[in-house]
Amino acid sequence: MHADESFSVAASPQQLERTARALLEAGFQVLIADTVDEARKLVAELLPPDRTIFTATSETLRLSGIAADINDSGQYRSVRAEAGDAPRDVEAQIRLGALPDVVVGSVHAVTEDGRLVIASASGSQLAPYVSGARKAIWVVGAQKVVPDLETALRRVRTHSLPLENNRQQELRGLGSFIGKILIIEREGLPDRSTVILTAETIGF
């Protein structure tokens, strides 16, 4: 599958600021990082050492080093680390991350009017994103900022899916698909959800 590389272009500072304002108005806490490394440090400052933390499967978290910081450093109560060798039962694996104190992940698109869009094959990360976790943190590369929901959904299907499909083909010899799409329009709980926008591109 070929990805639409027009969705790889970083948003301008003006677009990031516009998106941040809209997210704030929609009830999210928002931080803007100049670099991916700065975003990584911001995540570390937000994480509690004594609460369970689940890292959603995310190329953004893997490439930035955030996933390793949480799961491999021993500094945090990582759900993945505490689970050890996870059971082969897919449903059991999904339940492991359904109710953490904190979920850390990314999104596939964020609109300039303040909506988050996340696609998933299994839906395993969606439960903690929606309400299972007490706190949610999303790290979002600048190339994921789009004007509106229609463009966000197009980005998911023509950019994120082909890249994930190719990644899964290389890893497992099996492709990927979109099973579920989550659209978060507003956060009703004060201080629950934080979006860290980076001026650099990362993930897909």
Side-chain angles (χ1 to χ4, degrees):
M1 299 177 70
H2 296 288
D4 181 349
E5 291 303 329
S6 67
F7 287 114
S8 296
V9 180
S12 68
Q14 293 77 16
Q15 287 174 298
L16 287 175
E17 289 290 347
R18 190 156 54 242
T19 303
R21 287 195 300 269
L23 288 167
L24 284 168
E25 291 173 3
F28 299 93
Q29 293 183 306
V30 185
L31 300 169
I32 297 180
D34 290 332
T35 65
V36 171
D37 190 56
E38 183 182 335
R40 183 179 181 179
K41 292 175 182 176
L42 289 172
V43 170
E45 292 172 5
L46 292 171
L47 294 178
D50 58 344
R51 301 288 184 181
T52 58
I53 302 169
F54 176 66
T55 54
T57 301
S58 162
E59 282 296 277
T60 297
L61 297 192
R62 183 183 72 83
L63 294 169
S64 65
I66 293 170
D69 291 343
I70 295 170
N71 299 322
D72 303 333
S73 68
Q75 297 180 31
Y76 305 101
R77 289 191 56 198
S78 162
V79 171
R80 292 186 182 275
E82 291 182 2
D85 293 328
R88 293 182 178 272
D89 183 334
V90 174
E91 291 185 1
Q93 289 177 330
I94 291 172
R95 286 195 296 272
L96 282 174
L99 295 170
D101 291 310
V102 181
V103 62
V104 183
S106 188
V107 305
H108 293 106
V110 54
T111 67
E112 291 182 42
D113 60 0
R115 289 181 280 189
L116 305 177
V117 178
I118 306 106
S120 175
S122 69
S124 59
Q125 76 272 46
L126 302 186
Y129 281 178
V130 172
S131 61
R134 294 182 180 181
K135 287 189 176 294
I137 300 169
W138 291 284
V139 180
V140 184
Q143 83 281 17
K144 297 182 179 183
V145 174
V146 296
D148 50 41
L149 184 57
E150 180 181 355
T151 311
L153 294 172
R154 189 166 72 252
R155 185 182 197 280
V156 167
R157 296 187 185 281
T158 67
H159 183 78
S160 302
L161 174 59
L163 291 176
E164 176 62 12
N165 182 77
N166 295 342
R167 187 182 78 87
Q168 290 294 338
Q169 286 280 7
E170 292 179 5
L171 283 176
R172 304 184 302 146
L174 297 172
S176 189
F177 60 92
I178 296 174
K180 299 171 179 68
I181 295 177
L182 172 65
I183 301 171
I184 304 178
E185 300 207 351
R186 190 168 192 87
E187 177 54 74
L189 298 176
D191 302 328
R192 177 185 182 265
S193 296
T194 300
V195 179
I196 301 175
L197 298 170
T198 76
E200 293 183 333
T201 65
I202 187 168
F204 51 74

